[in-house]
Each structure stands twice: as structure tokens, then as C-alpha cells.
Amino acid sequence: MDTLQDFRSEVALKMAQMGIHVEKHHHEVATAGQGEIGVRFDTMTRMADNVMLQKYILKNVARAHGKVATFMPKPIFQDNGSGMHTHQSLWKDGVNLFYDSEGYALLSETCLHYIGGLLKHTPALLAFIAPTTNSYRRLVPGYEAPVNLVYSERNRSACIRIPTFLSSPEARRLEYRVPDPSCNPYLAFAAMLMAGLDGVINKVDPGPPTDVNLYALMPEEAAKVKQVPGSLEEVLNELEKDYEFLLQGDVFSKDFIETWLDYKRVSEVDPMRLRPHPYEFYLYFDA
């Protein structure tokens, strides 16, 4: 049933030639040609470079086959969207700081505080990690979309999932499922790291994990679970209120954030108010 196996294999071989270590690839959940190519971890800036290279390679291989590759978060209505699940861990002197043999899901206190920072700042982070109006057509209940501001070992509808198929200290990490491939990876990765480090520095408590079926909760229980904002306009407003953590160490500047807010509102939020829904396709779809 997977008609793109050979196509993805060719893409993976091209990526390997460009120095990207591909670990696996497979068809994803959406019916119409959605695929996933998983690559080995690397340092933050190098990983951002690899994201740009992957897009470039995939688009060009697609074009050679008379196909078009898109990285829109939600290209097809009522089908699963395309996320960019970002695995993260902190290391020092060759030691994974996220591992604790006695912790929940083998996570250290440092990791839990990092998770706390991500959850606390997610509404503002979304302005960089899910930065298009189309991003919020993906972030809706169902379709395995990570709309719930919780962490869990298993739930794919949680913002943060803890992979547990490997128990070694080196493999201990978190999977932040909110970002999508429309983002600028240099901005997105830096912003996520700043949010996590803010959680570590201020010892932000992420609360208890949510290891239950979120779709099976009674309405009164489900109402207690916080969810991500539902539009680009909302997350831009959240960033305007919560950006101090990004300024630490001069990683971001207030001037840059103000420019980003202005550009997004004028170039993307306002046009969507004035134009019908199909305009969004032409705003974000690039071959």
C-alpha cells in the first residue's frame, strides 16, 4: 500500500550523501503521501542546518519525479497534519543530564524542570514553533495533534511525550510534539532551549504526568486539562506578554521580537481576515 517507499529511500540516500545520518523512514498516518524521515540527533545549530538541507533535498527529488513536496502543517482538511516532533536532551561532559534511574520514566529532576519551562512558555513559544495561520488547523483535537499542555509517557495528544522504547541513559530525552515544519528551525530550536533552561533555572514544576487516555476523560475532567491557543493571533498576543525568558544572554532581542510580531500580524493575520479560506494555500504552499 506504500507507493512512496522507493521515493523516500532515494531521498534518504541523497541526505546521507549530504552528511545527514538517516535512522529510519516510513509512511505516516495521513492517507495522501505523508511520510516521515527520522534523523540522528546532533548539536542544536547543526540540527537546524540539517532541517534546511532535508527540505531542500526532498523538494528537489520530488521535482525530479514530477511530484511536489509541501511542509504545510495541515495541507488536507480532515486528515492528519504534519508536525516536526523535536527530541531534546541536555548533556554536560558527555553525560545526559535528563537521565535518572529512579525518576519517573527514568527522567531526572533537571529534565522535569525543563519540561516545566516548556509547558509554561508554550503559548508564547508557538509564535516561533508553529508560526503560520495554517499551524492552527493542525492543532485541533483529534488526528494525534498535541493540543494538551501536559506530559506523558504515551499520549500522542500531549505536548510532551517521553519515548520509552530504549532505557539506556544516552537515550533518555523528551519529545516536544508541538512544532511544525513551517517554522524557522534556528529561531524555533533557540526559543525552545531558552524556555527549557528558564524552567531549569527557576525550578518550574511541570505537575504530575498525564498517563491516562485523554479522549476517555469525563467532560468535567477534560475541562481541567489546559490546551494550546487556537490561532496565530492568540499566540502572538501571548508572546507579547511573555518574552523575558528569550532575552536572557542576549539570545533574542526585544527589537527582534517586536519586528516578528509586527510582520506576522501585517503579513499573515490581517490578510486571512480579508481573504477567503483558499488564500491560505497560496500563502504557505511552496514547491
Side-chain angles (χ1 to χ4, degrees):
M1 298 297 289
D2 182 1
T3 60
L4 294 177
Q5 172 75 21
D6 291 344
F7 170 81
R8 288 195 312 274
S9 295
E10 183 177 344
V11 170
L13 289 170
K14 295 289 187 186
M15 288 181 179
Q17 291 172 13
M18 296 288 285
I20 299 173
H21 187 122
V22 177
E23 293 192 322
K24 56 183 175 290
H25 68 78
H26 55 83
H27 196 294
E28 257 298 348
V29 179
T31 55
Q34 187 184 53
E36 176 173 311
I37 299 178
V39 299
R40 184 179 290 273
F41 63 88
D42 210 323
T43 54
M44 189 173 69
T45 304
R46 179 58 184 166
M47 206 65 206
D49 291 343
N50 285 349
V51 170
M52 302 304 291
L53 274 172
Q54 286 176 74
K55 288 184 175 183
Y56 178 80
I57 294 166
L58 219 158
K59 288 178 180 181
N60 280 280
V61 175
R63 183 165 184 167
H65 285 270
K67 300 180 184 296
V68 173
T70 179
F71 297 93
M72 282 183 73
K74 190 77 166 183
I76 301 175
F77 180 60
Q78 290 188 327
D79 208 341
N80 284 48
S82 296
M84 190 177 75
H85 302 160
T86 306
H87 294 241
Q88 304 174 43
S89 58
L90 292 179
W91 293 67
K92 184 177 181 180
D93 298 328
V95 176
N96 185 357
L97 301 181
F98 279 8
Y99 177 78
D100 183 346
S101 61
E102 303 299 321
Y104 164 78
L106 304 180
L107 300 181
S108 67
E109 186 178 51
T110 296
C111 183
L112 291 175
H113 289 152
Y114 189 100
I115 289 171
L118 283 176
L119 293 177
K120 175 184 176 182
H121 296 298
T122 287
L125 280 178
L126 283 162
F128 292 113
I129 65 177
T132 65
T133 57
N134 185 254
S135 300
Y136 300 89
R137 304 197 188 282
R138 168 186 171 244
L139 292 175
V140 295
Y143 309 101
E144 293 188 7
V147 297
N148 299 294
L149 283 169
V150 297
Y151 69 102
S152 169
E153 275 193 85
R154 297 177 181 85
N155 286 327
R156 282 178 163 78
S157 59
C159 283
I160 297 174
R161 187 177 74 94
I162 312 303
T164 54
F165 41 83
L166 293 174
S167 59
S168 65
E170 295 78 12
R172 197 52 25 199
R173 63 193 187 276
L174 62 89
E175 177 191 23
Y176 192 43
R177 298 173 62 82
V178 193
D180 68 51
S182 69
C183 74
N184 177 319
Y186 300 98
L187 300 179
F189 293 172
M192 284 185 272
L193 179 63
M194 294 303 289
L197 291 179
D198 183 70
V200 173
I201 292 167
N202 294 294
K203 300 186 185 303
V204 177
D205 182 4
T210 306
D211 290 330
V212 297
N213 184 344
L214 291 162
Y215 297 118
L217 293 177
M218 298 298 290
E220 59 272 17
E221 295 175 309
K224 298 176 184 176
V225 179
K226 291 183 179 180
Q227 295 195 334
V228 299
S231 70
L232 180 60
E233 183 174 20
E234 288 178 67
V235 303
L236 293 175
N237 293 338
E238 292 292 336
L239 176 62
E240 198 165 37
K241 294 184 292 185
D242 177 26
Y243 63 83
E244 291 294 332
F245 70 98
L246 293 169
L247 306 182
Q248 304 306 308
D250 297 324
V251 175
F252 286 79
S253 69
K254 187 175 181 181
D255 178 67
F256 173 80
I257 292 170
E258 290 174 348
T259 302
W260 183 262
L261 290 169
D262 182 65
Y263 173 82
K264 284 290 175 180
R265 284 166 172 158
V266 172
S267 301
E268 298 181 22
V269 174
D270 289 347
M272 284 300 295
R273 288 199 185 101
L274 301 173
R275 297 290 296 269
H277 172 256
Y279 172 70
E280 184 174 57
F281 180 85
Y282 298 99
L283 187 63
Y284 298 124
F285 187 91
D286 61 322

